[in-house]
């Protein structure tokens, strides 16, 4: 980018060019004035010589011939040297030249002083503006260093200086992004430790109580057996809870790389429901799969099956014996949708905006199973693959969770 595109530099350059033009015009004017002054001095000198010769009785014809003579001679040069007239004689010693010389010097000096003053004024203004701009930029950069990114450097104009300011803005934006990322990371770790600590308090307290009971009655085989089984159940719950939290943490941190494959939607649904059919039968609930068995989708099989499994678990947690859970897949022109619908208690309107929050439990479902992490994990997995998870429900009318995937996912 040329400096001529900088408005301040362009104005300074224009003023400098104008002053250079004025200096050239002044030089031309002084040349004309010098020639006129020289002509006047020579004419005045010739008039003086003619007057002196006429007074001495020299004929006008001889005077005319003398004035028209342009060839110097050694005799004339020797005569003038005796009179103190030589090329080395300072001009101020010649009265006829001195007055004209002083006028020329005064005119040249006045013009030079005027042009120099204009040039200095223009340079002072330009440098003052630049100095003020540099000071403001330095102040704003110091604010950047202190973490205040509300101010902005001037970069709406063209020019090398404004390019530098724009680069500094980009640097500040990168610094701000880094600071924000670090703050989010700290907040994430803080929330993560808080969640783990909060969720482990109950099973740890239960384990401590069970251990105390077993210790107090080591000879009671029935008591030891019962509370050992309860201890193992608490440990399994803790293991499941910690595993789910770590999976969500990895998803939030972006450390999981999905491996998409093209697979049948029917196979994916069967894989997700395989381990839950037994539970559904034990609880007296019907779990059915339905859809076109030829439909395919592109996804990570393991992660997506786990996400769908969490949706099915959520449906089992909020239904009663005799209710039905249906896993249905269908395709539209742009999306393939897998819906997990149930005929259970439904979701209250006040809870719909919170069900995907971690550890959220509806006040009306405090006695239901679950840790409040299944739906957040399912949403993170589905959205992490470019899909979308939505829910439709009304109280006492069941709930339907729909995972929508692009038929042709965008290229990575």
């Amino acid at each position: 980018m040329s400096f001529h595109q900088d408005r301040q530099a362009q104005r300074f350059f224009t003023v400098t060019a104008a002053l250079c033009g004025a200096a050239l015009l002044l030089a031309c004017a002084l040349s004309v004035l010098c020639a006129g002054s020289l002509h006047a001095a020579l004419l005045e000198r010739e008039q003086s010589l003619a007057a002196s010769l006429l007074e001495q009785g020299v004929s006008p014809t001889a005077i005319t011939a003398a004035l028209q003579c342009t060839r110097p001679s050694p005799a004339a040069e020797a005569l003038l040297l005796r009179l103190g007239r030589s090329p080395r004689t300072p001009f101020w010693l010649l009265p006829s030249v001195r007055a004209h010389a002083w006028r020329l010097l005064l005119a040249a000096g006045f013009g030079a002083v005027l042009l120099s003053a204009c040039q200095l004024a223009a340079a002072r203004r330009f440098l003052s503006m630049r100095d003020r701009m540099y000071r403001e930029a330095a102040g704003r950069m110091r604010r950047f260093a202190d973490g205040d990114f509300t101010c902005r450097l001037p970069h709406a104009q063209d020019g090398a200086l404004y390019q530098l300011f724009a680069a500094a803005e980009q640097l500040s934006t990168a610094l701000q992004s880094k600071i924000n990322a670090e703050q989010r990371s700290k907040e994430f770790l803080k929330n993560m430790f808080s969640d783990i600590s909060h969720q482990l308090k109950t099973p740890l307290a239960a384990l401590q109580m069970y251990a105390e009971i077993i210790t107090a009655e080591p000879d009671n085989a029935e008591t030891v057996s019962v509370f050992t089984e309860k201890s193992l159940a608490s440990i399994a719950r803790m293991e499941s809870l910690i595993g789910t939290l770590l999976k969500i943490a990895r998803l939030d941190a972006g450390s999981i790389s999905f491996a998409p494959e093209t697979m049948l939607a029917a196979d994916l649904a069967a894989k997700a429901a395989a381990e839950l059919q037994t539970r559904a039968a034990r609880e007296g609930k019907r779990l059915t799969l339905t859809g076109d068995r030829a439909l395919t989708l592109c996804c990570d099989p393991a992660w997506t099956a786990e996400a769908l499994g969490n949706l099915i678990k959520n449906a089992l947690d909020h239904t009663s014996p005799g209710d039905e859970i249906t896993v249905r897949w269908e395709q539209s022109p742009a999306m393939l949708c897998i819906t997990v619908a149930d005929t259970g208690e439904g979701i209250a309107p006040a809870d719909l905006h919170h069900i995907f929050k971690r550890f959220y439990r509806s006040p009306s479902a405090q006695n239901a199973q679950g840790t409040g992490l299944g739906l957040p994990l399912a949403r993170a997995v589905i959205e992490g693959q470019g899909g979308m998870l939505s829910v439709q429900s009304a109280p006492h009318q069941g709930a339907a969770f729909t995972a929508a995937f692009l038929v042709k996912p965008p290229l990575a």
Side-chain angles (χ1 to χ4, degrees), residues 239-254:
E239 183 180 4
S240 174
L241 177 64
I242 293 173
T244 304
L245 284 170
L246 291 177
K247 289 177 182 178
I248 294 177
R250 291 172 63 195
L251 287 167
D252 288 346

Side-chain angles (χ1 to χ4, degrees), residues 52-69:
S52 176
L53 292 174
L54 287 174
E55 290 177 358
Q56 296 178 19
V58 179
S59 66
T61 303
I63 296 174
T64 301
L67 294 176
Q68 290 179 347
C69 181

Side-chain angles (χ1 to χ4, degrees), residues 281-301:
R282 185 176 65 248
E283 296 177 359
K285 304 170 185 178
R286 295 187 303 276
L287 176 56
T288 58
L289 311 179
T290 180
D292 185 352
R293 299 190 63 83
L295 294 180
T296 61
L297 76 159
C298 186
C299 65
D300 185 299

